[in-house]
Short mmCIF file of all heavy atoms in Angstrom, two decimals:
data_model
loop_
_atom_site.label_atom_id
_atom_site.label_comp_id
_atom_site.label_asym_id
_atom_site.label_seq_id
_atom_site.Cartn_x
_atom_site.Cartn_y
_atom_site.Cartn_z
N ASP A 21 139.38 34.65 25.96
CA ASP A 21 140.18 33.56 26.52
C ASP A 21 140.46 33.73 28.01
O ASP A 21 141.60 33.65 28.46
CB ASP A 21 141.48 33.40 25.73
CG ASP A 21 142.14 32.05 26.00
OD1 ASP A 21 141.39 31.09 26.26
OD2 ASP A 21 143.37 31.97 25.96
N GLY A 37 129.06 44.43 19.87
CA GLY A 37 128.18 43.96 18.79
C GLY A 37 127.17 45.01 18.39
O GLY A 37 126.86 45.16 17.20
N ILE A 40 129.04 47.40 16.19
CA ILE A 40 129.30 46.81 14.86
C ILE A 40 128.03 46.78 14.03
O ILE A 40 128.02 47.15 12.85
CB ILE A 40 129.91 45.40 15.01
CG1 ILE A 40 131.32 45.49 15.60
CG2 ILE A 40 129.92 44.67 13.68
CD1 ILE A 40 131.90 44.15 16.00
N MET A 44 127.04 48.63 10.50
CA MET A 44 126.76 47.77 9.35
C MET A 44 125.27 47.66 9.00
O MET A 44 124.95 47.01 8.00
CB MET A 44 127.30 46.36 9.63
CG MET A 44 128.79 46.32 9.95
SD MET A 44 129.81 46.86 8.61
CE MET A 44 129.61 45.52 7.49
N GLY A 49 119.65 46.51 4.83
CA GLY A 49 118.49 47.04 4.13
C GLY A 49 117.30 47.30 5.04
O GLY A 49 116.20 47.54 4.57
N ARG A 56 113.73 49.69 16.73
CA ARG A 56 112.44 49.01 16.87
C ARG A 56 112.23 48.56 18.32
O ARG A 56 111.12 48.63 18.84
CB ARG A 56 112.35 47.83 15.94
CG ARG A 56 111.03 47.11 16.07
CD ARG A 56 110.88 46.05 15.05
NE ARG A 56 109.96 46.57 14.05
CZ ARG A 56 109.60 45.89 12.99
NH1 ARG A 56 110.09 44.72 12.75
NH2 ARG A 56 108.73 46.40 12.15
N MET A 58 113.28 50.06 20.97
CA MET A 58 112.88 51.25 21.74
C MET A 58 111.41 51.61 21.47
O MET A 58 110.70 52.03 22.38
CB MET A 58 113.79 52.44 21.40
CG MET A 58 115.23 52.24 21.86
SD MET A 58 115.38 51.86 23.61
CE MET A 58 114.94 53.41 24.33
N SER A 74 93.34 54.16 33.61
CA SER A 74 91.99 53.63 33.48
C SER A 74 91.60 52.80 34.70
O SER A 74 90.43 52.77 35.09
CB SER A 74 91.84 52.80 32.21
OG SER A 74 92.70 51.69 32.23
N GLY A 75 92.58 52.15 35.33
CA GLY A 75 92.29 51.42 36.56
C GLY A 75 91.81 52.34 37.66
O GLY A 75 90.86 52.03 38.39
N VAL A 78 88.20 53.56 36.78
CA VAL A 78 87.21 52.52 37.08
C VAL A 78 87.04 52.38 38.59
O VAL A 78 85.91 52.28 39.10
CB VAL A 78 87.61 51.18 36.43
CG1 VAL A 78 86.74 50.04 36.94
CG2 VAL A 78 87.50 51.29 34.93
N LYS A 80 87.50 54.66 40.86
CA LYS A 80 86.77 55.83 41.35
C LYS A 80 85.28 55.68 41.07
O LYS A 80 84.44 55.98 41.92
CB LYS A 80 87.31 57.09 40.68
CG LYS A 80 86.60 58.34 41.08
CD LYS A 80 87.12 59.53 40.29
CE LYS A 80 86.22 60.72 40.49
NZ LYS A 80 86.47 61.77 39.52
N LYS A 88 77.25 57.00 38.39
CA LYS A 88 76.85 57.97 37.37
C LYS A 88 77.51 57.59 36.05
O LYS A 88 78.21 58.38 35.43
CB LYS A 88 77.27 59.37 37.79
CG LYS A 88 76.60 59.85 39.04
CD LYS A 88 77.10 61.20 39.45
CE LYS A 88 76.45 61.61 40.76
NZ LYS A 88 77.00 62.82 41.31
N ILE A 93 77.85 51.14 23.60
CA ILE A 93 78.67 50.56 22.53
C ILE A 93 78.81 51.62 21.45
O ILE A 93 77.85 52.30 21.09
CB ILE A 93 77.99 49.30 21.95
CG1 ILE A 93 77.84 48.25 23.04
CG2 ILE A 93 78.79 48.76 20.77
CD1 ILE A 93 76.99 47.06 22.63
N LYS A 97 86.51 53.63 13.83
CA LYS A 97 87.18 53.33 12.57
C LYS A 97 88.68 53.52 12.78
O LYS A 97 89.12 54.59 13.14
CB LYS A 97 86.68 54.24 11.47
CG LYS A 97 87.23 53.89 10.11
CD LYS A 97 86.26 54.30 9.03
CE LYS A 97 86.78 54.02 7.66
NZ LYS A 97 86.88 52.61 7.35
N GLU A 105 98.14 44.24 13.52
CA GLU A 105 98.05 45.57 14.12
C GLU A 105 96.68 45.77 14.76
O GLU A 105 96.58 46.28 15.90
CB GLU A 105 98.27 46.64 13.05
CG GLU A 105 99.66 46.68 12.48
CD GLU A 105 99.78 47.62 11.29
OE1 GLU A 105 98.75 48.00 10.69
OE2 GLU A 105 100.92 47.97 10.96
N LEU A 112 95.17 45.39 23.44
CA LEU A 112 95.59 46.45 24.36
C LEU A 112 94.37 47.17 24.94
O LEU A 112 94.35 47.49 26.13
CB LEU A 112 96.50 47.45 23.65
CG LEU A 112 97.89 46.94 23.28
CD1 LEU A 112 98.62 47.96 22.41
CD2 LEU A 112 98.69 46.61 24.51
N LEU A 115 92.53 44.84 27.45
CA LEU A 115 93.25 44.67 28.71
C LEU A 115 93.16 45.88 29.63
O LEU A 115 93.40 45.76 30.82
CB LEU A 115 94.72 44.35 28.43
CG LEU A 115 94.98 42.95 27.89
CD1 LEU A 115 96.43 42.81 27.48
CD2 LEU A 115 94.61 41.89 28.90
N VAL A 121 86.67 45.30 23.42
CA VAL A 121 86.39 45.23 21.99
C VAL A 121 85.48 44.03 21.80
O VAL A 121 85.85 42.90 22.09
CB VAL A 121 87.68 45.08 21.16
CG1 VAL A 121 87.35 44.88 19.69
CG2 VAL A 121 88.57 46.29 21.35
N SER A 125 84.98 44.38 12.41
CA SER A 125 84.23 44.23 11.17
C SER A 125 84.93 43.29 10.21
O SER A 125 86.11 42.99 10.35
CB SER A 125 84.03 45.61 10.51
OG SER A 125 85.27 46.10 10.06
N GLY A 128 87.97 44.68 8.75
CA GLY A 128 89.05 44.82 9.71
C GLY A 128 89.40 46.25 10.05
O GLY A 128 90.37 46.50 10.75
N GLU A 130 87.04 48.53 11.38
CA GLU A 130 86.10 49.07 12.36
C GLU A 130 86.04 48.16 13.58
O GLU A 130 85.93 46.93 13.45
CB GLU A 130 84.71 49.21 11.76
CG GLU A 130 84.64 50.25 10.67
CD GLU A 130 83.27 50.31 10.00
OE1 GLU A 130 82.51 49.32 10.11
OE2 GLU A 130 82.97 51.32 9.37
N ILE A 133 83.18 48.71 20.22
CA ILE A 133 83.74 48.78 21.57
C ILE A 133 82.65 49.04 22.58
O ILE A 133 81.80 49.93 22.39
CB ILE A 133 84.80 49.90 21.64
CG1 ILE A 133 85.90 49.64 20.63
CG2 ILE A 133 85.36 50.05 23.04
CD1 ILE A 133 86.84 50.80 20.41
N MET A 136 82.50 51.35 29.55
CA MET A 136 81.79 51.37 30.82
C MET A 136 81.03 52.69 30.99
O MET A 136 79.94 52.71 31.55
CB MET A 136 82.78 51.19 31.97
CG MET A 136 82.11 50.96 33.29
SD MET A 136 83.27 50.50 34.56
CE MET A 136 83.61 52.08 35.26
N GLY A 149 93.91 56.50 19.77
CA GLY A 149 94.79 57.19 18.83
C GLY A 149 96.25 57.06 19.22
O GLY A 149 97.13 56.87 18.37
N LEU A 156 101.73 51.75 14.83
CA LEU A 156 102.23 52.06 13.48
C LEU A 156 103.74 52.27 13.50
O LEU A 156 104.44 51.85 12.57
CB LEU A 156 101.54 53.28 12.91
CG LEU A 156 100.14 53.06 12.38
CD1 LEU A 156 99.50 54.38 11.97
CD2 LEU A 156 100.15 52.10 11.21
N GLU A 157 104.26 52.93 14.54
CA GLU A 157 105.71 53.12 14.65
C GLU A 157 106.43 51.79 14.77
O GLU A 157 107.49 51.59 14.18
CB GLU A 157 106.05 53.98 15.87
CG GLU A 157 105.73 55.45 15.73
CD GLU A 157 106.05 56.22 16.98
OE1 GLU A 157 106.68 55.67 17.91
OE2 GLU A 157 105.65 57.39 17.05
N SER A 159 105.33 48.80 13.75
CA SER A 159 105.15 47.90 12.60
C SER A 159 105.77 48.41 11.31
O SER A 159 105.98 47.63 10.40
CB SER A 159 103.66 47.64 12.39
OG SER A 159 103.02 48.82 11.99
#
Side-chain angles (χ1 to χ4, degrees):
D21 197 31
I40 291 170
M44 303 297 289
R56 180 173 256 180
M58 293 305 290
S74 63
V78 169
K80 178 185 169 194
K88 297 177 183 173
I93 299 171
K97 186 152 178 68
E105 293 172 342
L112 290 172
L115 288 172
V121 175
S125 68
E130 293 176 340
I133 301 168
M136 190 171 94
L156 282 174
E157 287 178 9
S159 66

